[in-house]
Amino acid sequence: MTVQDVDRVSFAQEWQEWHRQKEAVLSGPHGFLAITGLHWLGPEPERFEDAPGAWSSTAEGVVVELDEGEELTVDGEPVRGRYDFGVVAERDSVYVGAGDAVIEVARRGGHDIVRPRHPDNPLRTSFTRTPAYAPDPRWVVSGRFLPFAEPRPVTVGAAVEGLEHVYDSPGQVEFELDGVRHRLTAFNGRGPGALMVLFTDRTSGVTTYTANRSLQIAAPDAEGKVTLDFNRAGNLPCAYTDLATCPLPPTENRLPVAVEAGERIPLERGGQP
């Protein structure tokens, strides 16, 4: 298929639906824009203004101690007094209710955290949209997946200074832009066999968010072929809020070209409409 073969009306409509769904998740009542705090838990119980209870990280996992009159909802059931969440796995999250808020209990970079999400957070209520480049079929490119013999652990930095993430990489994705070949280290995507790449390029810090963008890639076919649609290069939550722990791209994923496609710098970070 060539650019000339593309039904541009349908192409734009499908992109708009992708963009709409992505923003609906981001700005939902308990989406990332609703987060009011990023609280790192220690061994001593600590209280926070935006969450009931005193929270701590113990050898047995996360514990909350609720005073009289305080309550959480876990799996639809009210919880009072002391509640043990147990050990939360790395990159997992547990969500519990607190009135109209949701409290996220998670583990990131080896640390237990609590992130309350309040629907009335001003960052959420003032959100309008994310600027993006107009969808253009020229940014849909074919590539191939180059699997490693065994998945390789890759350590990357994070939006939070001093934090690191470790992901298993199943291989690299190779493709061409304007006749120049590039390779990006890939991580596992959202579905079976799917891939995800984190990258920066020459638009980063100019028209797109400085730290990172992500691109989801459907599972390779039987011959290892993949399609990269850079129109769907999206912002991670850290593009909007400092209360996210998003991973940074591996060093080798810094493209020496300007990818003028996908989501741009959010208005909340000084982006242009």
Side-chain angles (χ1 to χ4, degrees):
M1 182 180 69
T2 66
V3 171
Q4 289 74 23
D5 295 328
V6 174
D7 179 342
R8 287 181 177 268
V9 173
S10 295
F11 183 82
Q13 289 175 340
E14 292 173 3
W15 179 88
Q16 290 285 357
E17 179 60 17
W18 166 80
H19 194 48
R20 185 196 67 77
Q21 291 182 3
K22 187 172 181 295
E23 298 216 307
V25 172
L26 176 74
S27 62
H30 301 118
F32 258 92
L33 298 185
I35 292 176
T36 54
L38 171 57
H39 307 303
W40 302 88
L41 304 184
E44 295 300 320
E46 185 175 1
R47 302 187 69 89
F48 309 110
E49 292 183 354
D50 50 357
W55 298 80
S56 59
S57 175
T58 73
E60 290 74 37
V62 175
V63 174
V64 63
E65 298 173 15
L66 299 161
D67 283 349
E68 187 174 350
E70 293 183 320
E71 180 180 285
L72 293 174
T73 303
V74 180
D75 295 329
E77 298 295 327
V79 167
R80 302 179 184 90
R82 177 187 172 99
Y83 184 81
D84 296 333
F85 287 89
V87 176
V88 179
E90 182 67 33
R91 290 193 291 278
D92 274 359
S93 293
V94 176
Y95 298 93
V96 299
D100 64 352
V102 162
I103 311 299
E104 178 190 10
V105 183
R107 190 168 180 84
R108 299 291 184 269
H111 304 276
D112 291 321
I113 63 172
V114 166
R115 282 193 293 207
R117 301 178 180 223
H118 291 263
D120 61 354
N121 187 31
L123 184 64
R124 174 183 177 268
T125 57
S126 63
F127 178 77
T128 54
R129 64 186 182 88
T130 300
Y133 285 99
D136 187 337
R138 76 171 286 261
W139 289 107
V140 181
V141 299
S142 297
R144 62 180 181 137
F145 176 55
L146 306 174
F148 298 137
E150 296 288 341
R152 299 177 183 175
V154 177
T155 301
V156 297
V160 174
E161 186 175 355
L163 192 68
E164 291 184 332
H165 297 284
V166 180
Y167 295 91
D168 283 337
S169 171
Q172 295 182 315
V173 173
E174 183 179 74
F175 60 96
E176 288 188 3
L177 286 176
D178 297 330
V180 179
R181 186 172 298 177
H182 305 280
R183 284 187 183 182
L184 295 174
T185 294
F187 300 120
N188 294 318
R190 293 175 180 157
L195 304 169
M196 185 272 288
V197 294
L198 300 167
F199 72 97
T200 58
D201 63 275
R202 287 189 175 175
T203 69
S204 301
V206 182
T207 57
T208 64
Y209 184 59
T210 302
N212 51 24
R213 286 194 289 168
S214 68
L215 180 64
Q216 298 288 333
I217 303 171
D221 68 11
E223 297 177 344
K225 294 180 181 178
V226 293
T227 299
L228 297 86
D229 184 354
F230 284 101
N231 295 286
R232 302 193 182 195
N235 290 327
L236 278 75
C238 57
Y240 303 86
T241 174
D242 293 336
L243 305 178
T245 61
C246 303
L248 302 180
T251 302
E252 64 271 21
N253 284 19
R254 299 171 182 171
L255 292 173
V257 296
V259 180
E260 296 178 320
E263 293 186 331
R264 300 172 58 163
I265 298 172
L267 302 176
E268 292 78 8
R269 297 288 197 183
Q272 299 302 308

